[in-house]
Amino acid sequence: MIYILFGYFLYRIFYSNQKLLDEITVELTLPQEHYFVISILFLSGVAFVLNIDLPSFTVVFTLVYALYHYNKKNYGLMFLYSLPFFFQILKSNRALLLVFILVLFFAFVQKRFSKKNSNDFLLIIVVFLLLSFFFLDDVLKVIISYFPENSALKDRLVQVYLLLKGNIDWNSPALLSLSQRIDEAKVVIAYWCLNPFNFLFGGGMGATIEGFSFKDIGVADSALLGKTAIHNIHLLPFSLIFRYGVIGIGLFLILIYNLFKYLFRIILSEQSLFKTLIVFQFCWILYSFPAASYLWTCPLFWITLAYVSNEKRINFS
């Protein structure tokens, strides 16, 4: 509740104040850029040496900021801002891997298409999807072979590989985290359909579920109250349904609408720092799809949401 109230406070401030947008979209000077990247690399190095995870916001933001410098052809800064992700790649979770793929997608399509050749863009997307359908599992098999056995990212890739091959054994340890999310979804749907009040309004921000049937012990170990009261629902649509009922479905559809509404405008417009913030909005929502607890916790999410919600203030030039 505190995250949402604080986020809404930021949302209202930036929604109604164009001057604040001008201040946060001012490009850094070269000395400021150097200080910033040194600070990021120092934090990344400390986290790597101490074997701890960087904050999710830091990794997602630096990936998007690396994309910004890639589009400006500052390849040195692009490489340096990409390092936090690669420092953490062996421990990367599924959500961060999705963000990395999305950033690569934007890097590929930006500046290569315009309104005149949008049909070419759609054709390439169709070809890419077809190639992925036929060859993605083979590519993944090769990539997986290069990761060490104790890599968390390797486990995630193995899960995708097994799903693509159709070798789905939900009792297998390799698919434990995925089966956990399916179990959570089943519990949420049962709770949602329990009575009309739950259906309309959900369980509220403090609602919890019992996890006695869950096989993933990590979920119970990370819950403050243990298996008796698990608060975190991983999948974003089901998390919103669990908290807010039908209203949650509306919130989810609004998020998806904003994603598709600005997708082509981002791809076809000129590079700008503000457009980079919109790309961050894409990436943060995508990051939250398999890790819903992160959605409301990022101030930059609320700030950017304020401007994409007020189309009159948006300038993609």
Side-chain angles (χ1 to χ4, degrees), residues 170-182:
W170 294 112
N171 295 318
S172 169
L175 295 175
L176 180 61
S177 61
L178 286 178
S179 63
Q180 166 64 31
R181 282 154 174 76
I182 293 175

Side-chain angles (χ1 to χ4, degrees), residues 40-103:
I40 293 295
L41 292 177
F42 175 76
L43 291 174
S44 302
V46 171
F48 181 78
V49 171
L50 297 179
N51 195 31
I52 59 177
D53 294 338
L54 284 169
S56 302
F57 166 79
T58 302
V59 184
V60 175
F61 179 79
T62 52
L63 272 176
V64 175
Y65 203 44
L67 174 66
Y68 168 72
H69 284 290
Y70 169 79
N71 289 327
K72 293 189 67 177
K73 298 183 179 181
N74 296 331
Y75 298 121
L77 286 172
M78 176 208 73
F79 172 75
L80 293 176
Y81 281 115
S82 301
L83 287 179
F85 171 78
F86 291 105
F87 279 147
Q88 202 163 306
I89 189 170
L90 294 181
K91 299 185 292 181
S92 296
N93 56 27
R94 188 180 297 102
L96 193 55
L97 182 61
L98 290 174
V99 169
F100 181 68
I101 293 172
L102 181 61
V103 169

Side-chain angles (χ1 to χ4, degrees), residues 248-269:
I249 296 178
L251 290 173
F252 180 73
L253 292 177
I254 289 172
L255 291 175
I256 298 300
Y257 171 75
N258 276 327
L259 289 181
F260 284 100
K261 181 179 180 180
Y262 294 107
L263 176 62
F264 284 96
R265 294 176 66 178
I266 289 174
I267 292 171
L268 301 178
S269 63

Side-chain angles (χ1 to χ4, degrees), residues 6-8 21 30 43 61 65 94 114 158 184 191 220 232 307:
F6 178 70
Y8 182 73
L21 174 64
L30 190 58
L43 291 174
F61 179 79
Y65 203 44
R94 188 180 297 102
S114 63
V158 167
E184 289 176 1
Y191 178 86
N232 182 34
Y307 289 101

Side-chain angles (χ1 to χ4, degrees), residues 182-292:
I182 293 175
D183 291 340
E184 289 176 1
K186 291 178 180 177
V187 173
V188 167
I189 294 300
Y191 178 86
W192 186 42
C193 299
L194 189 62
N195 57 61
F197 188 87
N198 288 0
F199 185 84
L200 291 175
F201 304 109
M205 299 180 192
T208 60
I209 59 176
E210 291 186 351
F212 292 106
S213 62
F214 294 160
K215 298 177 182 179
D216 190 348
I217 59 174
V219 173
D221 290 343
S222 62
L224 295 177
L225 300 178
K227 289 186 177 182
T228 59
I230 295 175
H231 184 264
N232 182 34
I233 305 297
H234 288 87
L235 294 175
L236 180 61
F238 294 97
S239 179
L240 294 175
I241 289 172
F242 184 56
R243 306 273 173 237
Y244 317 113
V246 173
I247 298 173
I249 296 178
L251 290 173
F252 180 73
L253 292 177
I254 289 172
L255 291 175
I256 298 300
Y257 171 75
N258 276 327
L259 289 181
F260 284 100
K261 181 179 180 180
Y262 294 107
L263 176 62
F264 284 96
R265 294 176 66 178
I266 289 174
I267 292 171
L268 301 178
S269 63
E270 293 297 323
Q271 174 60 31
S272 68
L273 188 56
F274 178 67
K275 192 178 81 169
T276 301
L277 295 179
I278 305 298
V279 173
F280 174 82
Q281 182 84 339
F282 271 73
C283 292
W284 193 252
I285 293 173
L286 182 63
Y287 185 87
S288 302
F289 261 69

